Amino acid sequence: LFHKHKLMSGASSRVEEEKRESKSGASPSPATATYWTCSMCTFVNELQAESCMMCGAGAGSDPEVERKRIRKNLKRQFSDRASNDVKRYREGYPGQKDNKDMNLNLRFYTNQIQSRPKGDYIENILSDWYGDYEKLEQHHGYIQWLFPIREKGMNSKSQPLQRFEARAICRDPLAFQRFKRAYRMMLDFYGMQLIDEATGHIERQNNYMERYVNLAESGHNWLRITRILKSLGEFELEHYKIHLISIIIQEFHSGFLKACGSSIKQYWIPVVKSQYQRLLAYNYLKDGRQI
């Protein structure tokens, strides 16, 4: 680390020398140059550095080649993190223990506290926010409360779900029905409707076309769907997942949700716990064979 810092400090001084030389009209000859300028980020490196100390591009490399390499590396790193995240979810978060002092999700679902920030009691959300597409689109603090999972989310005012909370909500008929109503509300927001509460079967809503346009164009809703799928599994509705994924794949093949292809493959199908159902979903995505 010290060596890298020293090299970068030395390279920075070379930048100042280069500026002074450029102002005076002089330029170092290739034979006497002790540094090279990165073609990717323009950082000035020590001559002996084989790759850029700033961005990692190889000495003398083509900028376009380097851009492709960086994009590929970032994609692989992001994919690896997503794969590890899904693995932990499917395995039930090994080693993660409940914190009995964390009960905000249970208190919210029993209508004792409001969601935060700028939220409301769940009964008010389910009755007043249903069909208010602008509010559901623009408000970013409610989804972590309606669909809690055992991971930290973007909302610092919410808490990760505890297993004892999930069990209590599932055993409370009113609270469990609220969870299903929240699911119906979000399906409606996405242009879908729950036809069979027992099986989880879903079909298009009457206004599906305008809602599909919104879903296809708003990437943050793809993140919401990942959370919803995970939450379904935490609340004993694992069998609901394949129906949501199935209709999304159906609309992928119809052309309405082509933009969701990567999310379907990398995030939504992988959270299904049944290997057999995952295989069916992948085959449906690949060749259109109905699940």
Side-chain angles (χ1 to χ4, degrees):
L1 181 62
F2 173 77
H3 179 64
K4 181 175 180 179
H5 175 72
K6 185 178 180 182
L7 281 175
M8 292 182 72
S9 298
S12 297
S13 65
R14 297 277 191 252
V15 173
E16 295 304 317
E17 292 177 13
E18 184 181 33
K19 287 180 179 178
R20 288 194 294 270
E21 289 170 349
S22 64
K23 287 180 180 179
S24 65
S27 59
S29 66
T32 60
T34 58
Y35 60 88
W36 58 272
T37 302
C38 176
S39 59
M40 185 69 182
C41 71
T42 72
F43 184 77
V44 179
N45 297 271
E46 292 285 346
L47 187 62
Q48 64 267 33
E50 296 181 357
S51 60
C52 179
M53 299 295 293
M54 184 62 69
C55 72
S61 58
D62 179 80
E64 184 57 32
V65 172
E66 283 301 322
R67 275 191 285 271
K68 289 181 180 179
R69 179 187 66 81
I70 292 172
R71 282 197 297 268
K72 184 178 180 180
N73 286 342
L74 288 174
K75 185 176 181 180
R76 183 173 63 248
Q77 291 171 17
F78 195 75
S79 179
D80 290 344
R81 286 198 297 271
S83 178
N84 292 333
D85 173 76
V86 166
K87 185 173 184 293
R88 288 189 68 247
Y89 169 76
R90 289 206 307 249
E91 293 177 353
Y93 302 95
Q96 185 168 314
K97 297 181 180 180
D98 268 8
N99 183 338
K100 297 297 183 181
D101 295 326
M102 298 176 67
N103 62 0
L104 293 186
N105 297 296
L106 178 58
R107 292 170 64 196
F108 172 69
Y109 257 98
T110 50
N111 213 44
Q112 298 178 53
I113 61 171
Q114 296 181 343
S115 61
R116 295 182 296 164
K118 299 179 181 179
D120 207 336
Y121 292 99
I122 188 167
E123 276 297 332
N124 293 339
I125 292 175
L126 295 176
S127 59
D128 300 341
W129 296 24
Y130 194 111
D132 189 342
Y133 299 146
E134 183 176 356
K135 191 178 192 73
L136 294 174
E137 178 69 29
Q138 299 298 329
H139 197 298
H140 297 289
Y142 69 91
I143 200 72
Q144 295 87 358
W145 291 88
L146 291 183
F147 299 97
I149 58 177
R150 294 176 62 199
E151 305 169 23
K152 289 183 178 180
M154 300 292 287
N155 184 352
S156 62
K157 302 297 183 181
S158 65
Q159 288 181 349
L161 177 69
Q162 307 300 304
R163 286 176 297 180
F164 78 87
E165 291 183 299
R167 288 193 295 268
I169 291 171
C170 289
R171 300 298 175 267
D172 183 327
L174 183 55
F176 193 38
Q177 194 58 39
R178 287 177 179 137
F179 182 82
K180 292 180 179 179
R181 287 169 62 195
Y183 183 54
R184 286 180 181 274
M185 181 176 74
M186 294 309 295
L187 288 179
D188 175 75
F189 174 65
Y190 294 136
M192 307 166 190
Q193 57 181 324
L194 183 64
I195 299 299
D196 190 328
E197 192 171 288
T199 66
H201 178 65
I202 298 171
E203 292 183 2
R204 290 173 170 174
Q205 186 62 276
N206 291 333
N207 61 346
Y208 74 92
M209 289 190 69
E210 64 179 83
R211 302 313 308 156
Y212 284 177
V213 169
N214 181 72
L215 178 55
E217 294 179 349
S218 56
H220 72 98
N221 276 305
W222 307 345
L223 297 175
R224 289 174 171 180
I225 288 177
T226 302
R227 170 176 281 273
I228 290 170
L229 287 167
K230 287 182 175 181
S231 192
L232 288 172
E234 300 292 359
F235 288 93
E236 301 179 5
L237 293 171
E238 178 70 24
H239 60 289
Y240 272 25
K241 291 181 183 178
I242 199 65
H243 294 280
L244 176 54
I245 292 170
S246 179
I247 192 171
I248 293 174
I249 296 176
Q250 171 189 310
E251 305 303 2
F252 168 83
H253 286 300
S254 71
F256 289 113
L257 298 179
K258 279 290 184 184
C260 298
S262 179
S263 291
I264 296 170
K265 182 178 180 180
Q266 296 184 35
Y267 302 101
W268 300 341
I269 295 177
V271 300
V272 174
K273 293 181 179 179
S274 165
Q275 184 178 13
Y276 176 67
Q277 286 190 330
R278 291 200 303 272
L279 180 60
L280 290 178
Y282 279 125
N283 286 338
Y284 186 21
L285 178 63
K286 181 179 179 181
D287 54 29
R289 285 184 294 173
Q290 187 78 37
I291 297 175

